[in-house]
Amino acid sequence: FGVVAVATVIGVVALWPHDRTVERPQSVANVRTHEAEVMGVRRVQCTTPGATLCLRLTIRLASGPDEGTVTTFGFTGRDVRFSVGDRIRVYEQQLPEGAQVGGVALDPYQFSDFERKRPLLVLLALFAALVVATARFKGLRALVGLGASLVVIVFFVVPAILDGRSPLGVALVGALSVMLVTIPLAHGIGPKTIAACLGTTSALLLTLFLADVFVEAAHLSGLASEEAVFLSASVEDVSIRGLLLAGMVIAALGVLDDLTVTQASTVLALRRANPSLGFGELFRHAVEVGHDHITATVNTLVLAYTGAALPVLLVFSLADTPFGEAVGFEVVAGEIVATLVGSIGLIAAVPVTTALAALLALRLRPEAVGDVHAH
C-alpha cells in the first residue's frame, strides 16, 4: 500500500502540468454567453426549407453589457420547448451596425442553450441531503471524497493531458490518486482499505494493459466522436488514442472501488463472525459473494455503455445496417472494447482483493477487525 501511495505521489509530481492555465488555440472561438429570461414566445411562418418549428422570442437580458435590455430573436429547430419565464443563455452576434439580409435586420442575439444552474443545484442538494441522512458521517465523508475526485480530474488530469503529458500515464496516476483519496476518506485506514486499494490497483493495471493491446489490435483511433476530431484538429500535442485508453481506465475505476471495498468488507465480516475459518474457507465463502456482485456489476457496466451508444444504434437500425457490420464500426467497437476490458478487470479484482483481504484478516484478532460495513 505504501509503495502504491509513494509511486502515485511521484507520478503526480512528474506529470504535473507546467502551466496551470491552458492556452486557448487560435482556431477555437471564445464565445461568451449571457443569461436571459424569456418574456414572450410567438410562432411565425418558417422561411427555412425543411424547418418545422419557427419561433420569435422576446427576452430580457439578465447579464452582460446590455443587462436589462429587452430584445427579440428568431429560432428555428425541433423538439425545443420555450415558455415564458424560462432562463436561457444567449450569445451576441458580432455584426456591423445596421447589418441586414434581404432587407431584414439581423438579430443582435441568438439562442445558445438553457440555463440549468438552478435545477442542477436543487438536484445536487437533494442528493447530498439523502446521502448524509442515510449514511450520516460516512455519507458526509463520501461526499468530500467525491469532491476530491472531481478536483483531481479538473485540476490535474485535464490540464496535464492538454499540457502534452501522456494521457495513459495521467489517467493511471489520476485514477490511483482518486482511489487513495476516496477509499481511505470513506472507510479510514485499515485492512479493508489496504486490501481494496491493492486490489483496485491490480485491476486497473490489468485493464490498462488489455485496453492498450485491444485498442491496437482493433485499430481504434479514438476519432469516433465529433469532440475527439475537434480536439485533434485544435491541440496537436494530445494523443487521441491515448485519450481513448485514459477514458477506459477512469471509467472502470468507479465500479472497481465499489467491488473491491465490498469484497474486503465481506472477508472481514466472515473473519469476525467465525474466527475458526482459515484462508481457504475465507477465500471460498467471500468469492461466492463476489460472483453475485460480478454478475450485477458487469450487467450495470454493459447497460451503461449501451445506453451511451443508444443514438448510434438507432442510426444503424434506421439504415438497416447488418449487426455484424455495425459492431465493426469504431463508434460501436470502441464501446465494446471498453465494456469488455473493464469487465475483465472487474472479474480479476474479486479473487485478488479477496486473497489480500484474507491474508490481512488472518493477521488480526477477530475482535480487532472493527467496523466492516462498506456497501
Side-chain angles (χ1 to χ4, degrees):
F1 178 78
V3 172
V4 173
V6 171
T8 302
V9 172
I10 294 174
V12 170
V13 173
L15 295 171
W16 192 261
H18 294 306
D19 191 354
R20 303 301 307 142
T21 303
V22 179
E23 184 178 353
R24 179 173 54 87
Q26 294 182 354
S27 59
V28 178
N30 184 18
V31 179
R32 298 290 183 182
T33 62
H34 308 293
E35 187 176 352
E37 180 182 357
V38 177
M39 306 295 293
V41 181
R42 180 167 54 92
R43 191 153 190 156
V44 297
Q45 184 177 0
C46 292
T47 58
T48 304
T52 58
L53 177 65
C54 299
L55 304 172
R56 193 74 188 171
L57 278 73
T58 302
I59 63 169
R60 181 175 61 224
L61 294 165
S63 66
D66 297 328
E67 183 178 353
T69 302
V70 176
T71 185
T72 64
F73 65 86
F75 174 83
T76 301
R78 294 182 58 187
D79 298 331
V80 180
R81 298 179 182 178
F82 294 97
S83 300
V84 174
D86 283 348
R87 311 292 290 191
I88 63 174
R89 307 292 300 187
V90 296
Y91 64 91
E92 185 177 6
Q93 300 197 88
Q94 301 300 319
L95 301 171
E97 187 177 353
Q100 296 181 352
V101 172
V104 179
L106 296 177
D107 298 323
Y109 287 90
Q110 285 294 325
F111 174 74
S112 175
D113 210 336
F114 283 91
E115 175 59 63
R116 299 184 176 93
K117 289 180 184 177
R118 188 175 300 172
L120 291 179
L121 288 174
V122 171
L123 183 59
L124 177 61
L126 178 61
F127 166 73
L130 287 175
V131 170
V132 174
T134 54
R136 302 184 185 279
F137 185 60
K138 277 195 171 183
L140 180 61
R141 289 190 298 178
L143 290 175
V144 174
L146 175 61
S149 302
L150 296 177
V151 167
V152 172
I153 298 296
V154 173
F155 293 99
F156 170 66
V157 173
V158 173
I161 291 177
L162 289 176
D163 198 43
R165 303 293 192 266
S166 166
L168 209 55
V170 171
L172 180 60
V173 171
L176 293 177
S177 300
V178 169
M179 175 194 74
L180 291 171
V181 170
T182 55
I183 296 181
L185 186 60
H187 306 288
I189 299 294
K192 176 171 61 180
T193 293
I194 294 173
C197 287
L198 293 178
T200 301
T201 301
S202 302
L204 281 175
L205 291 173
L206 176 61
T207 302
L208 180 60
F209 170 75
L210 292 175
D212 191 26
V213 170
F214 286 97
V215 164
E216 179 68 26
H219 300 285
L220 298 178
S221 65
L223 296 171
S225 67
E226 293 182 2
E227 295 82 1
V229 173
F230 174 79
L231 191 62
S232 176
S234 303
V235 186
E236 297 179 357
D237 295 334
V238 174
S239 168
I240 303 302
R241 179 180 176 277
L243 205 58
L244 175 65
L245 293 171
M248 293 182 184
V249 172
I250 293 176
L253 174 65
V255 187
L256 276 172
D257 281 356
D258 172 48
L259 186 66
T260 55
V261 170
T262 302
Q263 280 306 113
S265 183
T266 301
V267 171
L268 296 177
L270 289 170
R271 169 66 173 163
R272 188 168 187 172
N274 190 350
S276 65
L277 294 177
F279 175 83
E281 292 173 307
L282 279 175
F283 181 84
R284 185 174 66 256
H285 292 313
V287 165
E288 288 177 359
V289 176
H291 290 163
D292 293 334
H293 203 180
I294 285 175
T295 303
T297 306
V298 168
N299 188 51
T300 300
L301 195 64
V302 170
L303 290 178
Y305 279 112
T306 303
L310 196 56
V312 177
L313 297 178
L314 290 175
V315 170
F316 284 135
S317 178
L318 287 173
D320 200 21
T321 305
F323 178 78
E325 183 180 347
V327 298
F329 287 102
E330 179 165 347
V331 66
V332 178
E335 301 292 348
I336 293 174
V337 170
T339 301
L340 295 181
V341 299
S343 299
I344 292 173
L346 290 174
I347 295 169
V350 169
V352 172
T353 306
T354 304
L356 291 169
L359 289 173
L360 291 171
L362 291 174
R363 292 175 176 270
L364 300 172
R365 299 188 309 274
E367 62 274 12
V369 170
D371 180 18
V372 296
H373 302 292
H375 208 290

Short mmCIF file of all heavy atoms in Angstrom, two decimals, residues 320-373:
data_model
loop_
_atom_site.label_atom_id
_atom_site.label_comp_id
_atom_site.label_asym_id
_atom_site.label_seq_id
_atom_site.Cartn_x
_atom_site.Cartn_y
_atom_site.Cartn_z
N ASP A 320 -30.67 0.20 -41.65
CA ASP A 320 -30.76 -1.24 -41.92
C ASP A 320 -29.36 -1.86 -42.08
O ASP A 320 -29.15 -2.72 -42.94
CB ASP A 320 -31.61 -1.50 -43.16
CG ASP A 320 -32.13 -2.93 -43.20
OD1 ASP A 320 -32.18 -3.57 -42.13
OD2 ASP A 320 -32.45 -3.42 -44.30
N THR A 321 -28.43 -1.43 -41.23
CA THR A 321 -27.07 -1.96 -41.27
C THR A 321 -27.04 -3.32 -40.58
O THR A 321 -27.53 -3.45 -39.46
CB THR A 321 -26.10 -1.00 -40.54
OG1 THR A 321 -26.21 0.29 -41.12
CG2 THR A 321 -24.66 -1.50 -40.66
N PRO A 322 -26.48 -4.34 -41.21
CA PRO A 322 -26.40 -5.66 -40.57
C PRO A 322 -25.64 -5.57 -39.25
O PRO A 322 -24.69 -4.80 -39.10
CB PRO A 322 -25.64 -6.50 -41.60
CG PRO A 322 -25.85 -5.81 -42.90
CD PRO A 322 -25.94 -4.36 -42.58
N PHE A 323 -26.05 -6.39 -38.28
CA PHE A 323 -25.44 -6.35 -36.95
C PHE A 323 -23.94 -6.60 -37.00
O PHE A 323 -23.17 -5.89 -36.36
CB PHE A 323 -26.12 -7.39 -36.04
CG PHE A 323 -25.53 -7.44 -34.66
CD1 PHE A 323 -25.87 -6.48 -33.72
CD2 PHE A 323 -24.64 -8.44 -34.31
CE1 PHE A 323 -25.31 -6.52 -32.45
CE2 PHE A 323 -24.08 -8.49 -33.04
CZ PHE A 323 -24.42 -7.53 -32.10
N GLY A 324 -23.54 -7.59 -37.77
CA GLY A 324 -22.12 -7.91 -37.86
C GLY A 324 -21.30 -6.77 -38.42
O GLY A 324 -20.14 -6.58 -38.04
N GLU A 325 -21.89 -6.01 -39.32
CA GLU A 325 -21.18 -4.86 -39.88
C GLU A 325 -21.20 -3.68 -38.92
O GLU A 325 -20.20 -2.95 -38.80
CB GLU A 325 -21.84 -4.45 -41.20
CG GLU A 325 -21.15 -3.30 -41.92
CD GLU A 325 -21.83 -2.94 -43.22
OE1 GLU A 325 -22.68 -3.73 -43.70
OE2 GLU A 325 -21.53 -1.85 -43.76
N ALA A 326 -22.31 -3.50 -38.21
CA ALA A 326 -22.44 -2.36 -37.29
C ALA A 326 -21.42 -2.43 -36.16
O ALA A 326 -20.83 -1.41 -35.79
CB ALA A 326 -23.86 -2.31 -36.72
N VAL A 327 -21.20 -3.63 -35.60
CA VAL A 327 -20.27 -3.73 -34.48
C VAL A 327 -18.83 -3.50 -34.91
O VAL A 327 -17.95 -3.29 -34.08
CB VAL A 327 -20.39 -5.11 -33.78
CG1 VAL A 327 -21.77 -5.30 -33.20
CG2 VAL A 327 -20.05 -6.25 -34.74
N GLY A 328 -18.59 -3.54 -36.22
CA GLY A 328 -17.23 -3.30 -36.70
C GLY A 328 -16.88 -1.83 -36.82
O GLY A 328 -15.69 -1.48 -36.90
N PHE A 329 -17.89 -0.94 -36.83
CA PHE A 329 -17.61 0.48 -36.90
C PHE A 329 -16.98 0.94 -35.59
O PHE A 329 -17.37 0.50 -34.50
CB PHE A 329 -18.88 1.27 -37.20
CG PHE A 329 -19.37 1.14 -38.61
CD1 PHE A 329 -20.44 0.31 -38.92
CD2 PHE A 329 -18.74 1.83 -39.64
CE1 PHE A 329 -20.89 0.18 -40.23
CE2 PHE A 329 -19.20 1.72 -40.95
CZ PHE A 329 -20.26 0.89 -41.25
N GLU A 330 -16.05 1.89 -35.68
CA GLU A 330 -15.30 2.28 -34.49
C GLU A 330 -16.19 2.83 -33.38
O GLU A 330 -15.94 2.60 -32.21
CB GLU A 330 -14.22 3.31 -34.84
CG GLU A 330 -13.43 3.78 -33.62
CD GLU A 330 -12.16 4.49 -33.97
OE1 GLU A 330 -11.73 4.44 -35.14
OE2 GLU A 330 -11.57 5.10 -33.07
N VAL A 331 -17.24 3.55 -33.73
CA VAL A 331 -18.08 4.15 -32.73
C VAL A 331 -18.74 3.08 -31.84
O VAL A 331 -19.01 3.32 -30.65
CB VAL A 331 -19.16 5.04 -33.39
CG1 VAL A 331 -20.13 4.23 -34.23
CG2 VAL A 331 -19.88 5.88 -32.36
N VAL A 332 -18.97 1.87 -32.40
CA VAL A 332 -19.53 0.77 -31.62
C VAL A 332 -18.42 -0.11 -31.07
O VAL A 332 -18.45 -0.51 -29.90
CB VAL A 332 -20.48 -0.08 -32.50
CG1 VAL A 332 -21.02 -1.27 -31.70
CG2 VAL A 332 -21.63 0.77 -33.00
N ALA A 333 -17.42 -0.40 -31.88
CA ALA A 333 -16.32 -1.27 -31.45
C ALA A 333 -15.60 -0.68 -30.24
O ALA A 333 -15.16 -1.41 -29.34
CB ALA A 333 -15.34 -1.49 -32.59
N GLY A 334 -15.46 0.65 -30.20
CA GLY A 334 -14.80 1.28 -29.07
C GLY A 334 -15.55 1.04 -27.77
O GLY A 334 -14.94 0.77 -26.73
N GLU A 335 -16.88 1.11 -27.82
CA GLU A 335 -17.69 0.85 -26.63
C GLU A 335 -17.59 -0.62 -26.21
O GLU A 335 -17.57 -0.94 -25.02
CB GLU A 335 -19.16 1.22 -26.89
CG GLU A 335 -19.39 2.67 -27.27
CD GLU A 335 -19.10 3.63 -26.13
OE1 GLU A 335 -18.95 3.16 -24.98
OE2 GLU A 335 -19.00 4.84 -26.39
N ILE A 336 -17.53 -1.51 -27.20
CA ILE A 336 -17.41 -2.94 -26.90
C ILE A 336 -16.09 -3.23 -26.21
O ILE A 336 -16.03 -3.95 -25.20
CB ILE A 336 -17.56 -3.77 -28.19
CG1 ILE A 336 -18.98 -3.65 -28.74
CG2 ILE A 336 -17.20 -5.23 -27.93
CD1 ILE A 336 -19.18 -4.33 -30.07
N VAL A 337 -15.00 -2.68 -26.74
CA VAL A 337 -13.68 -2.89 -26.12
C VAL A 337 -13.68 -2.33 -24.71
O VAL A 337 -13.19 -2.97 -23.77
CB VAL A 337 -12.58 -2.24 -26.98
CG1 VAL A 337 -11.24 -2.25 -26.23
CG2 VAL A 337 -12.43 -2.97 -28.30
N ALA A 338 -14.21 -1.12 -24.53
CA ALA A 338 -14.24 -0.51 -23.20
C ALA A 338 -15.04 -1.36 -22.22
O ALA A 338 -14.63 -1.56 -21.07
CB ALA A 338 -14.83 0.89 -23.28
N THR A 339 -16.18 -1.89 -22.66
CA THR A 339 -17.02 -2.71 -21.80
C THR A 339 -16.31 -4.00 -21.40
O THR A 339 -16.29 -4.38 -20.23
CB THR A 339 -18.34 -3.06 -22.50
OG1 THR A 339 -19.03 -1.85 -22.83
CG2 THR A 339 -19.22 -3.91 -21.61
N LEU A 340 -15.70 -4.67 -22.38
CA LEU A 340 -15.10 -5.97 -22.12
C LEU A 340 -13.82 -5.87 -21.29
O LEU A 340 -13.61 -6.67 -20.37
CB LEU A 340 -14.84 -6.70 -23.44
CG LEU A 340 -16.10 -7.05 -24.23
CD1 LEU A 340 -15.75 -7.79 -25.52
CD2 LEU A 340 -17.04 -7.91 -23.38
N VAL A 341 -12.95 -4.91 -21.60
CA VAL A 341 -11.71 -4.81 -20.80
C VAL A 341 -12.05 -4.35 -19.37
O VAL A 341 -11.42 -4.80 -18.40
CB VAL A 341 -10.69 -3.85 -21.45
CG1 VAL A 341 -10.28 -4.36 -22.81
CG2 VAL A 341 -11.20 -2.42 -21.53
N GLY A 342 -13.06 -3.48 -19.23
CA GLY A 342 -13.48 -3.09 -17.89
C GLY A 342 -14.08 -4.25 -17.13
O GLY A 342 -13.82 -4.42 -15.93
N SER A 343 -14.85 -5.08 -17.81
CA SER A 343 -15.46 -6.25 -17.17
C SER A 343 -14.40 -7.27 -16.75
O SER A 343 -14.50 -7.87 -15.67
CB SER A 343 -16.47 -6.90 -18.11
OG SER A 343 -17.52 -6.00 -18.43
N ILE A 344 -13.40 -7.48 -17.59
CA ILE A 344 -12.31 -8.40 -17.23
C ILE A 344 -11.57 -7.89 -16.00
O ILE A 344 -11.21 -8.66 -15.11
CB ILE A 344 -11.36 -8.59 -18.43
CG1 ILE A 344 -12.07 -9.34 -19.55
CG2 ILE A 344 -10.09 -9.34 -18.01
CD1 ILE A 344 -11.26 -9.42 -20.84
N GLY A 345 -11.33 -6.57 -15.95
CA GLY A 345 -10.70 -6.01 -14.77
C GLY A 345 -11.54 -6.23 -13.52
O GLY A 345 -11.01 -6.54 -12.45
N LEU A 346 -12.86 -6.09 -13.64
CA LEU A 346 -13.75 -6.33 -12.50
C LEU A 346 -13.68 -7.78 -12.03
O LEU A 346 -13.60 -8.06 -10.83
CB LEU A 346 -15.19 -6.01 -12.90
CG LEU A 346 -15.56 -4.55 -13.10
CD1 LEU A 346 -16.99 -4.44 -13.62
CD2 LEU A 346 -15.42 -3.78 -11.80
N ILE A 347 -13.71 -8.70 -12.99
CA ILE A 347 -13.67 -10.12 -12.63
C ILE A 347 -12.36 -10.46 -11.93
O ILE A 347 -12.33 -11.18 -10.93
CB ILE A 347 -13.86 -10.97 -13.90
CG1 ILE A 347 -15.27 -10.75 -14.48
CG2 ILE A 347 -13.64 -12.44 -13.60
CD1 ILE A 347 -15.48 -11.34 -15.85
N ALA A 348 -11.25 -9.93 -12.45
CA ALA A 348 -9.95 -10.22 -11.85
C ALA A 348 -9.81 -9.60 -10.46
O ALA A 348 -9.09 -10.12 -9.60
CB ALA A 348 -8.84 -9.69 -12.75
N ALA A 349 -10.52 -8.48 -10.23
CA ALA A 349 -10.40 -7.80 -8.94
C ALA A 349 -10.96 -8.63 -7.79
O ALA A 349 -10.49 -8.50 -6.65
CB ALA A 349 -11.12 -6.46 -9.00
N VAL A 350 -11.93 -9.49 -8.07
CA VAL A 350 -12.57 -10.25 -6.99
C VAL A 350 -11.60 -11.21 -6.31
O VAL A 350 -11.40 -11.14 -5.09
CB VAL A 350 -13.82 -10.97 -7.51
CG1 VAL A 350 -14.34 -11.97 -6.48
CG2 VAL A 350 -14.91 -9.97 -7.83
N PRO A 351 -10.97 -12.16 -7.03
CA PRO A 351 -10.04 -13.08 -6.33
C PRO A 351 -8.83 -12.38 -5.75
O PRO A 351 -8.36 -12.74 -4.67
CB PRO A 351 -9.66 -14.08 -7.43
CG PRO A 351 -9.92 -13.39 -8.71
CD PRO A 351 -11.08 -12.50 -8.46
N VAL A 352 -8.31 -11.36 -6.46
CA VAL A 352 -7.12 -10.66 -5.96
C VAL A 352 -7.43 -9.95 -4.65
O VAL A 352 -6.72 -10.09 -3.65
CB VAL A 352 -6.60 -9.66 -7.01
CG1 VAL A 352 -5.49 -8.79 -6.42
CG2 VAL A 352 -6.09 -10.38 -8.24
N THR A 353 -8.50 -9.17 -4.63
CA THR A 353 -8.88 -8.43 -3.41
C THR A 353 -9.25 -9.38 -2.29
O THR A 353 -8.89 -9.16 -1.12
CB THR A 353 -10.06 -7.49 -3.71
OG1 THR A 353 -9.74 -6.66 -4.81
CG2 THR A 353 -10.38 -6.64 -2.50
N THR A 354 -9.96 -10.45 -2.61
CA THR A 354 -10.36 -11.42 -1.59
C THR A 354 -9.16 -12.08 -0.95
O THR A 354 -9.09 -12.23 0.28
CB THR A 354 -11.29 -12.48 -2.21
OG1 THR A 354 -12.40 -11.84 -2.83
CG2 THR A 354 -11.79 -13.44 -1.15
N ALA A 355 -8.18 -12.48 -1.77
CA ALA A 355 -6.97 -13.12 -1.24
C ALA A 355 -6.19 -12.15 -0.35
O ALA A 355 -5.73 -12.52 0.74
CB ALA A 355 -6.11 -13.61 -2.39
N LEU A 356 -6.05 -10.92 -0.80
CA LEU A 356 -5.32 -9.93 0.01
C LEU A 356 -6.04 -9.65 1.33
O LEU A 356 -5.40 -9.57 2.39
CB LEU A 356 -5.17 -8.63 -0.79
CG LEU A 356 -4.23 -8.68 -2.00
CD1 LEU A 356 -4.39 -7.42 -2.84
CD2 LEU A 356 -2.78 -8.83 -1.54
N ALA A 357 -7.35 -9.52 1.26
CA ALA A 357 -8.12 -9.26 2.48
C ALA A 357 -8.05 -10.44 3.44
O ALA A 357 -7.97 -10.25 4.66
CB ALA A 357 -9.57 -8.95 2.12
N ALA A 358 -8.07 -11.67 2.91
CA ALA A 358 -7.98 -12.85 3.78
C ALA A 358 -6.63 -12.92 4.48
O ALA A 358 -6.54 -13.23 5.67
CB ALA A 358 -8.22 -14.11 2.95
N LEU A 359 -5.56 -12.61 3.74
CA LEU A 359 -4.23 -12.62 4.35
C LEU A 359 -4.12 -11.57 5.46
O LEU A 359 -3.56 -11.84 6.52
CB LEU A 359 -3.17 -12.34 3.27
CG LEU A 359 -2.93 -13.47 2.25
CD1 LEU A 359 -1.99 -12.99 1.15
CD2 LEU A 359 -2.36 -14.70 2.95
N LEU A 360 -4.67 -10.40 5.22
CA LEU A 360 -4.63 -9.35 6.23
C LEU A 360 -5.53 -9.69 7.42
O LEU A 360 -5.16 -9.44 8.57
CB LEU A 360 -5.07 -8.01 5.62
CG LEU A 360 -4.11 -7.41 4.59
CD1 LEU A 360 -4.75 -6.21 3.90
CD2 LEU A 360 -2.80 -6.97 5.26
N ALA A 361 -6.70 -10.27 7.15
CA ALA A 361 -7.64 -10.59 8.23
C ALA A 361 -7.07 -11.63 9.17
O ALA A 361 -7.29 -11.56 10.40
CB ALA A 361 -8.96 -11.08 7.64
N LEU A 362 -6.34 -12.60 8.64
CA LEU A 362 -5.78 -13.66 9.48
C LEU A 362 -4.67 -13.16 10.38
O LEU A 362 -4.30 -13.82 11.35
CB LEU A 362 -5.27 -14.80 8.60
CG LEU A 362 -6.36 -15.60 7.86
CD1 LEU A 362 -5.74 -16.60 6.90
CD2 LEU A 362 -7.26 -16.31 8.87
N ARG A 363 -4.14 -11.98 10.08
CA ARG A 363 -3.10 -11.39 10.93
C ARG A 363 -3.70 -10.60 12.09
O ARG A 363 -2.97 -10.12 12.96
CB ARG A 363 -2.20 -10.47 10.11
CG ARG A 363 -1.35 -11.21 9.08
CD ARG A 363 -0.57 -10.23 8.22
NE ARG A 363 0.32 -10.91 7.30
CZ ARG A 363 1.59 -11.23 7.59
NH1 ARG A 363 2.10 -10.92 8.76
NH2 ARG A 363 2.33 -11.86 6.70
N LEU A 364 -5.03 -10.44 12.08
CA LEU A 364 -5.70 -9.67 13.12
C LEU A 364 -6.49 -10.57 14.04
O LEU A 364 -6.99 -11.63 13.63
CB LEU A 364 -6.66 -8.65 12.48
CG LEU A 364 -6.07 -7.60 11.55
CD1 LEU A 364 -7.20 -6.83 10.88
CD2 LEU A 364 -5.17 -6.64 12.31
N ARG A 365 -6.61 -10.17 15.28
CA ARG A 365 -7.52 -10.86 16.18
C ARG A 365 -8.95 -10.55 15.76
O ARG A 365 -9.23 -9.42 15.31
CB ARG A 365 -7.30 -10.41 17.62
CG ARG A 365 -5.92 -10.69 18.17
CD ARG A 365 -5.84 -10.38 19.66
NE ARG A 365 -6.34 -9.05 19.97
CZ ARG A 365 -5.59 -7.96 19.91
NH1 ARG A 365 -4.33 -8.04 19.53
NH2 ARG A 365 -6.12 -6.77 20.21
N PRO A 366 -9.87 -11.49 15.85
CA PRO A 366 -11.25 -11.25 15.39
C PRO A 366 -11.87 -10.00 15.98
O PRO A 366 -12.58 -9.26 15.30
CB PRO A 366 -11.99 -12.52 15.84
CG PRO A 366 -10.93 -13.57 15.89
CD PRO A 366 -9.68 -12.87 16.33
N GLU A 367 -11.62 -9.74 17.27
CA GLU A 367 -12.22 -8.56 17.89
C GLU A 367 -11.56 -7.27 17.43
O GLU A 367 -12.08 -6.17 17.67
CB GLU A 367 -12.12 -8.66 19.42
CG GLU A 367 -10.70 -8.70 19.97
CD GLU A 367 -10.13 -10.12 20.00
OE1 GLU A 367 -10.75 -11.03 19.38
OE2 GLU A 367 -9.07 -10.32 20.62
N ALA A 368 -10.39 -7.37 16.75
CA ALA A 368 -9.68 -6.17 16.27
C ALA A 368 -10.07 -5.81 14.85
O ALA A 368 -9.56 -4.83 14.30
CB ALA A 368 -8.18 -6.37 16.38
N VAL A 369 -10.96 -6.59 14.26
CA VAL A 369 -11.33 -6.33 12.86
C VAL A 369 -12.04 -4.99 12.73
O VAL A 369 -11.81 -4.23 11.80
CB VAL A 369 -12.21 -7.47 12.32
CG1 VAL A 369 -12.80 -7.10 10.97
CG2 VAL A 369 -11.38 -8.74 12.19
N GLY A 370 -12.91 -4.67 13.69
CA GLY A 370 -13.57 -3.35 13.69
C GLY A 370 -14.77 -3.33 12.78
O GLY A 370 -15.32 -4.35 12.39
N ASP A 371 -15.17 -2.11 12.45
CA ASP A 371 -16.36 -1.89 11.61
C ASP A 371 -16.07 -2.37 10.19
O ASP A 371 -15.14 -1.91 9.55
CB ASP A 371 -16.71 -0.41 11.59
CG ASP A 371 -17.93 -0.12 10.75
OD1 ASP A 371 -18.68 -1.08 10.47
OD2 ASP A 371 -18.14 1.04 10.38
N VAL A 372 -16.89 -3.29 9.70
CA VAL A 372 -16.62 -3.86 8.39
C VAL A 372 -17.72 -3.53 7.38
O VAL A 372 -17.69 -4.00 6.25
CB VAL A 372 -16.47 -5.41 8.47
CG1 VAL A 372 -15.27 -5.75 9.31
CG2 VAL A 372 -17.72 -6.03 9.05
N HIS A 373 -18.69 -2.75 7.76
CA HIS A 373 -19.79 -2.45 6.82
C HIS A 373 -19.31 -1.46 5.79
O HIS A 373 -18.83 -0.40 6.12
CB HIS A 373 -20.98 -1.90 7.60
CG HIS A 373 -21.49 -2.84 8.66
ND1 HIS A 373 -22.10 -4.03 8.37
CD2 HIS A 373 -21.42 -2.77 10.02
CE1 HIS A 373 -22.42 -4.65 9.50
NE2 HIS A 373 -22.01 -3.91 10.51
#
